Amino acid sequence: MTVIKCRGLTKIYGRTKALNNLSFEIEENKITGLIGRNGSGKTTLLKIIASYFRETSGEIEVFSEKPFNNLTVSANVIYINDQMNFPTALSLKEILTVSSTFYENWNHELANRLFDYFSFQPNQQYNNLSKGMKSTFNMIVGLSARCALTMFDEPTTGMDAAVRKDFYRALLKDYIDHPRTILLSSHHLDEIEDLIEDILLIKDGKELLHIQIEDLKEYAIGVQGLATDVKEWSKNRKVIYSKNIGLDRMYAVIKKYDYESEKQQAHASGLAITPVSSSDVCVYLTSKTKGGIDDVFIKD
């Protein structure tokens, strides 16, 4: 079953295109990583899916229905981000109790166990929590709701390293017990690549890649050697990123096609082949220039 379907989705704020002719589909019961730099359009996309915003043009369907002002979509979707608001008159425990009335699949036992594990106090007020503790409480709500479509937008903001690991572990264990469609937005792929099955990489509101995470791990190779040799070897290949090393050497990241053949050709040219991590591939693909920050210092 297709849970989310977008065709030419565009969202314009004034003169800015937050989303630009975006098309993709998300199937049910998968964890998909929504990856992109700050300002790439991730939050806008999630808010349109969650029916907070209406698209400017194009088409979007969530559970085969248009999401904006749709009760069916709202009842089956939860969107967790660091701007959540809860009633100030309620304590944390009361917020969990009230939340249980909104979500059909709410698991109050899980909510209470997570609440105790992360050392919350029943009478604490949400607005008095630190940023990291707010993110942790939001996570409890997002997991316990067990909505058919669960979306976490940069969910670990403010969390320390240990809590981030606990969150990802809790998400994976609960997903295994109760599969559902999860969108996990982040610009730190290295933290979530062991969780996700697919990756949707966006830049400037456009889709760059929508592939399985295992395919992303094999997407590119690094080549290093004399600059003249690297340039000659890569001139008919897709160069994703390159930088000069010292006076006469160069490092380049090349889209992989036939690894064994390319490896032999590179070695014959005196070049060294190195692996490129999934996280680095995403960084290089979303960079504004092929040389990254180094291009700032190139003199005309």
Side-chain angles (χ1 to χ4, degrees):
M1 173 186 173
T2 300
V3 174
I4 303 169
K5 182 184 293 185
C6 291
R7 290 288 180 270
L9 187 66
T10 299
K11 180 63 178 179
I12 300 175
Y13 301 105
R15 297 181 179 179
T16 302
K17 275 189 177 181
L19 298 178
N20 188 359
N21 198 34
L22 186 63
S23 298
F24 66 91
E25 294 183 5
I26 301 290
E27 301 299 319
E28 68 176 342
N29 297 339
K30 281 188 176 183
I31 304 179
T32 298
L34 178 60
I35 308 298
R37 299 194 178 205
N38 291 335
S40 61
K42 301 190 303 296
T43 294
T44 297
L45 174 60
L46 293 178
K47 287 186 174 180
I48 290 176
I49 294 170
S51 75
Y52 290 12
F53 296 160
R54 187 198 296 270
E55 67 277 10
T56 302
S57 61
E59 299 179 358
I60 179 169
E61 293 182 355
V62 180
F63 301 116
S64 301
E65 299 192 27
K66 296 184 181 300
F68 192 71
N69 280 343
N70 188 305
L71 290 178
T72 299
V73 172
S74 296
N76 289 281
V77 174
I78 188 166
Y79 170 58
I80 302 295
N81 69 353
D82 63 357
Q83 302 296 319
M84 295 186 73
N85 291 308
F86 294 103
T88 56
L90 300 180
S91 67
L92 296 184
K93 269 292 187 179
E94 289 170 335
I95 291 172
L96 295 183
T97 300
V98 172
S99 296
S100 68
T101 65
F102 283 96
Y103 301 104
E104 181 180 1
N105 297 322
W106 179 271
N107 187 303
H108 209 58
E109 182 182 357
L110 174 63
N112 286 331
R113 291 201 307 267
L114 290 171
F115 189 89
D116 293 339
Y117 177 83
F118 289 106
S119 302
F120 287 102
Q121 300 301 315
N123 293 325
Q124 280 180 295
Q125 299 293 312
Y126 184 80
N127 287 345
N128 293 332
L129 298 176
S130 68
K131 192 173 188 64
M133 291 297 282
K134 284 181 179 178
S135 293
T136 304
F137 185 79
N138 296 345
M139 172 267 290
I140 293 174
V141 174
L143 290 180
S144 303
R146 288 181 172 169
C147 286
L149 174 56
T150 300
M151 301 187 293
F152 291 100
D153 189 359
E154 303 286 355
T156 60
T157 301
M159 291 183 186
D160 61 38
V163 176
R164 290 201 304 271
K165 289 181 180 180
D166 281 342
F167 163 65
Y168 294 132
R169 182 68 175 167
L171 186 152
L172 181 59
K173 289 181 73 67
D174 199 57
Y175 169 77
I176 292 172
D177 288 341
H178 298 274
R180 62 259 206 202
T181 305
I182 296 177
L183 276 179
L184 189 56
S185 166
S186 178
H187 52 271
H188 296 303
L189 177 59
D190 53 339
E191 286 192 353
I192 65 172
E193 66 176 308
D194 291 336
L195 283 174
I196 61 179
E197 299 165 74
D198 291 350
I199 176 175
L200 175 59
L201 179 66
I202 62 175
K203 176 185 178 182
D204 299 329
K206 298 179 180 179
E207 175 197 333
L208 286 182
L209 287 177
H210 187 193
I211 61 176
Q212 293 183 357
I213 189 65
E214 294 304 318
D215 292 334
L216 181 65
K217 293 177 180 178
E218 301 296 324
Y219 188 81
I221 55 174
V223 181
Q224 184 172 322
L226 291 174
T228 53
D229 293 338
V230 173
K231 289 178 181 178
E232 176 64 24
W233 185 83
S234 61
K235 65 181 180 181
N236 294 320
R237 295 174 168 88
K238 182 178 179 180
V239 179
I240 299 171
Y241 170 81
S242 65
K243 68 176 180 179
N244 293 320
I245 304 173
L247 296 177
D248 61 354
R249 298 183 68 79
M250 175 178 282
Y251 171 74
V253 176
I254 312 293
K255 189 177 186 306
K256 185 193 297 186
Y257 293 100
D258 183 343
Y259 177 70
E260 289 302 324
S261 174
E262 289 169 329
K263 182 179 178 180
Q264 292 175 6
Q265 293 173 20
H267 286 167
S269 300
L271 304 176
I273 294 287
T274 59
V276 183
S277 71
S278 302
S279 180
D280 283 345
V281 169
C282 291
V283 169
Y284 297 145
L285 285 172
T286 57
S287 176
K288 293 185 180 298
T289 62
K290 282 190 171 67
I293 192 65
D294 287 357
D295 285 351
V296 174
F297 299 93
I298 294 177
K299 297 180 180 179
D300 296 330

